[in-house]
């Protein structure tokens, strides 16, 4: 863990390791994933079954066993305590309510009497959502990917989730049912991404793949992009907390550890204007680490990619935050709304001392699938927009083309595109 002053002369050098963590995909990983994609494309279900049996230790006899049956889903739902189901249902409802506000409708403009312009909004036909099933299982990931797709009007939602040793958290299947997932396959890794991208006899080809995964999943999404759409390339999780010396150090420590427990490459950073407060947070992190069931993972993350930074002002902290463009940004200050206008780059912004990042992970409403690794400079959270496509509508009347046609011909001439110009000129010359 680094304890730095933002004005230290060697700050950039010492901080570089955190910024570049998980940045490079080894050539070996890329080649392995290329091979898996090639096998799925050429051998379909046979290859998918072989990889699934090998990597997840399943022993399925045929490809029919790759799909989780409706009976299995119902049994899983029955196994989830009623109070837990109620919590998942609340999350589905709140996430749906938030994403409903993002919906856009097809529109037409009649501002010009002789030309009609507009935009047609069409839901994607079929999407695939990837839900991790390795180190942890995430019913919240199901909700955050499936619900906006459902709100957008996607016709079919296909979910893939690895089930190592044929085990899956019943809450994951329950969340899928509550969120409106249509079919679920017990496959994961690069092979699942390839199956969704190219289709097999069992797994239908989709238009877009969303959801986080390990380095093999992320690499596979990158390699199949163009064949299908993807949401983003997700990297290790991260949180940055801006603090002005106010609040409870134990709360801040818990928030930092909420990301550190994800995996060893996660990064948790506090930037505070009060060195003493920062020292108290460090002490609290050490105390709370010992209480975590995932202590080894959280400790590895904190030791290698954790940092406490002392800044001269919250304005300086905001400048630093914009440079980092964090996935999760907490404004743990006395006046978060006063600081908000200075924030330009962040996946999600958590305001004040009573808004822990975990609230956004589960049921606040906004999506928890967020840009990582500085990509919040140009990416946005997963939203309804990710599950629709937009087509421009253009309709010229004869009078409209007569009014603007010569200018179209003129610009086509600037580009030396004679056929473009002729397609307009002929209409202007021959009005019938």
């Amino acid at each position: 863990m680094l304890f730095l002053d933002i004005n230290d002369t060697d700050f950039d050098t010492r901080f570089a390791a955190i910024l570049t963590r998980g940045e490079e995909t080894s050539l070996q990983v890329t080649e392995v994933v290329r091979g898996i994609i090639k096998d799925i494309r050429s051998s379909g279900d046979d290859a998918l079954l072989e990889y699934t049996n090998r990597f997840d230790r399943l022993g399925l006899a045929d490809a029919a066993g790759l799909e989780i049956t409706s009976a299995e889903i119902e049994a899983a739902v029955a196994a989830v305590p009623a109070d837990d189901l109620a919590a998942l249902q609340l999350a589905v409802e709140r996430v749906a309510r938030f994403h409903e506000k993002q919906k856009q409708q097809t529109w037409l403009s009649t501002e010009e009497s002789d030309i009609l312009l507009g935009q047609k909004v069409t839901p994607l036909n079929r999407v695939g959502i990837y839900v991790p099933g390795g180190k942890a299982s995430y019913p919240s990931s199901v909700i955050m990917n499936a619900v906006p797709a459902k709100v957008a009007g996607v016709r079919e939602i296909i979910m893939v989730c690895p089930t190592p040793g044929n085990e899956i958290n019943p809450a994951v299947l329950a969340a899928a049912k509550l969120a409106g997932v249509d079919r679920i396959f017990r496959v994961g890794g690069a092979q699942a991404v390839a199956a969704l991208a190219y289709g097999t006899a069992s797994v239908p080809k989709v238009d877009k793949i969303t959801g986080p995964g390990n380095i093999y999943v992320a690499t596979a999404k990158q390699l199949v992009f163009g064949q299908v759409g993807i949401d983003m390339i997700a990297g290790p999780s991260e949180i940055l907390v801006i603090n002005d010396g106010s609040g409870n150090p134990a709360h801040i420590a818990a928030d930092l550890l909420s990301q550190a427990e994800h995996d060893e490459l996660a990064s948790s950073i506090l930037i505070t204007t009060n060195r003493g407060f920062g020292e108290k947070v460090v002490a609290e992190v050490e105390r709370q680490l010992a209480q975590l069931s995932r202590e080894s993972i959280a400790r590895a993350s904190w030791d290698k990619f954790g940092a406490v930074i002392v800044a001269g002002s919250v304005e300086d902290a905001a400048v630093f935050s914009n440079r980092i463009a964090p996935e999760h940004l907490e404004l743990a200050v006395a006046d978060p709304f006063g600081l908000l206008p200075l924030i330009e780059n962040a996946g999600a912004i958590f305001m004040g001392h009573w808004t822990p990042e975990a609230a956004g992970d589960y049921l606040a409403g906004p999506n928890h699938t967020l840009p990582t690794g500085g990509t919040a400079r140009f990416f946005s959270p997963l939203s309804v927009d990710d599950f629709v496509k937009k087509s421009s509508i253009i309709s010229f009347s004869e009078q409209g083309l007569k009014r603007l046609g010569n200018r179209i011909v003129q610009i086509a001439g600037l580009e030396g595109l004679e056929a473009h110009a002729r397609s307009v000129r002929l209409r202007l010359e021959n009005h019938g």
Side-chain angles (χ1 to χ4, degrees):
M1 190 275 296
L2 296 175
F3 202 118
L4 304 169
D5 189 294
I6 200 169
N7 293 316
D8 288 344
T9 56
D10 61 348
F11 178 89
D12 287 343
T13 301
R14 296 177 66 192
F15 195 73
I18 292 177
L19 289 180
T20 58
R21 78 196 194 290
E23 189 173 272
E24 298 206 4
T25 302
S26 72
L27 182 60
Q28 182 179 12
V29 169
T30 301
E31 289 308 306
V32 167
V33 172
R34 285 189 192 279
I36 291 172
I37 293 173
K38 180 180 179 182
D39 288 345
I40 297 297
R41 292 190 69 180
S42 61
S43 301
D45 276 349
D46 290 341
L48 186 59
L49 184 65
E50 195 277 325
Y51 281 120
T52 301
N53 282 338
R54 187 202 317 173
F55 293 142
D56 291 338
R57 311 177 304 282
L58 293 190
L60 298 173
D62 55 55
L66 293 172
E67 184 166 4
I68 296 177
T69 65
S70 57
E72 290 177 284
I73 296 170
E74 292 301 332
V77 172
V80 177
D83 199 46
D84 291 344
L85 281 177
L88 292 173
Q89 181 63 45
L90 177 63
V92 168
E93 291 170 359
R94 291 184 61 86
V95 172
R97 192 157 61 243
F98 178 87
H99 286 80
E100 283 283 352
K101 294 178 172 63
Q102 298 175 337
K103 289 176 69 173
Q104 296 184 44
Q105 304 298 323
T106 294
W107 58 268
L108 296 172
S109 170
T110 56
E111 293 176 0
E112 299 172 281
S113 61
D114 51 4
I115 296 174
L116 184 146
L117 303 174
Q119 181 174 262
K120 184 178 186 296
V121 180
T122 308
L124 299 183
N125 183 56
R126 180 188 291 134
V127 301
I129 64 173
Y130 189 99
V131 177
K135 289 183 178 179
S137 57
Y138 301 106
S140 61
S141 285
V142 180
I143 293 169
M144 294 296 179
N145 283 269
V147 169
K150 200 74 176 176
V151 169
V154 170
R155 293 180 180 87
E156 188 176 20
I157 303 171
I158 308 298
M159 176 174 134
V160 293
C161 181
T163 60
N166 206 27
E167 292 186 5
I168 187 169
N169 183 346
V172 168
L173 297 184
K177 181 176 176 62
L178 292 172
V181 171
D182 295 289
R183 299 175 68 185
I184 308 173
F185 293 85
R186 57 179 107 247
V187 296
Q191 60 272 21
V193 173
L196 291 171
Y198 295 99
T200 72
S202 298
V203 181
K205 178 180 178 180
V206 303
D207 301 313
K208 191 166 190 174
I209 301 171
T210 71
N214 63 19
I215 188 64
Y216 292 92
V217 171
T219 303
K221 286 173 69 177
Q222 198 164 17
L223 291 175
V224 301
F225 176 63
Q227 175 66 31
V228 291
I230 62 172
D231 49 353
M232 61 189 83
I233 305 297
S237 187
E238 60 206 25
I239 184 171
L240 189 150
V241 180
I242 295 178
N243 174 263
D244 58 0
S246 65
N248 188 329
H251 295 172
I252 304 300
D255 294 352
L256 295 172
L257 289 175
S258 72
Q259 294 310 294
E261 72 174 351
H262 269 298
D263 67 71
E264 293 88 344
L265 287 174
S267 176
S268 303
I269 301 168
L270 167 65
I271 180 165
T272 179
T273 58
N274 187 311
R275 176 178 289 272
F277 187 92
E279 291 169 348
K280 290 177 182 178
V281 170
V282 171
E284 268 296 326
V285 167
E286 289 300 323
R287 186 184 69 80
Q288 293 183 30
L289 267 171
Q291 302 170 355
L292 294 179
S293 60
R294 294 167 66 85
E295 178 188 359
S296 60
I297 294 172
R299 186 172 293 280
S301 165
W302 177 248
D303 287 349
K304 193 165 185 181
F305 300 117
V308 173
I309 299 166
V310 180
S313 66
V314 291
E315 290 78 14
D316 289 345
V319 170
F320 174 79
S321 177
N322 288 330
R323 170 187 163 196
I324 302 303
E327 176 187 17
H328 306 101
L329 172 63
E330 286 190 5
L331 302 185
V333 297
D335 181 17
F337 286 93
L339 185 57
L340 183 61
L342 300 182
I343 302 303
E344 298 175 358
N345 303 323
I349 306 168
F350 301 83
M351 308 288 288
H353 292 297
W354 293 99
T355 315
E357 181 277 332
D361 272 350
Y362 298 121
L363 53 63
N367 211 284
H368 81 192
T369 303
L370 302 168
T372 61
T375 59
R377 292 179 295 112
F378 48 83
F379 271 136
S380 302
L382 192 72
S383 73
V384 167
D385 278 350
D386 286 290
F387 297 101
V388 299
K389 54 195 173 184
K390 300 171 184 176
S391 305
S392 299
I393 299 170
I394 305 164
S395 177
F396 277 58
S397 68
E398 180 179 346
Q399 182 57 40
L401 190 62
K402 288 179 179 178
R403 179 164 62 86
L404 296 181
N406 286 332
R407 291 302 193 189
I408 298 171
V409 170
Q410 183 179 5
I411 296 173
L414 293 174
E415 297 187 349
L417 296 176
E418 182 181 347
H420 280 65
R422 182 181 294 118
S423 71
V424 175
R425 189 183 298 114
L426 287 175
R427 287 174 166 84
L428 297 181
E429 294 171 352
N430 304 298
H431 303 320

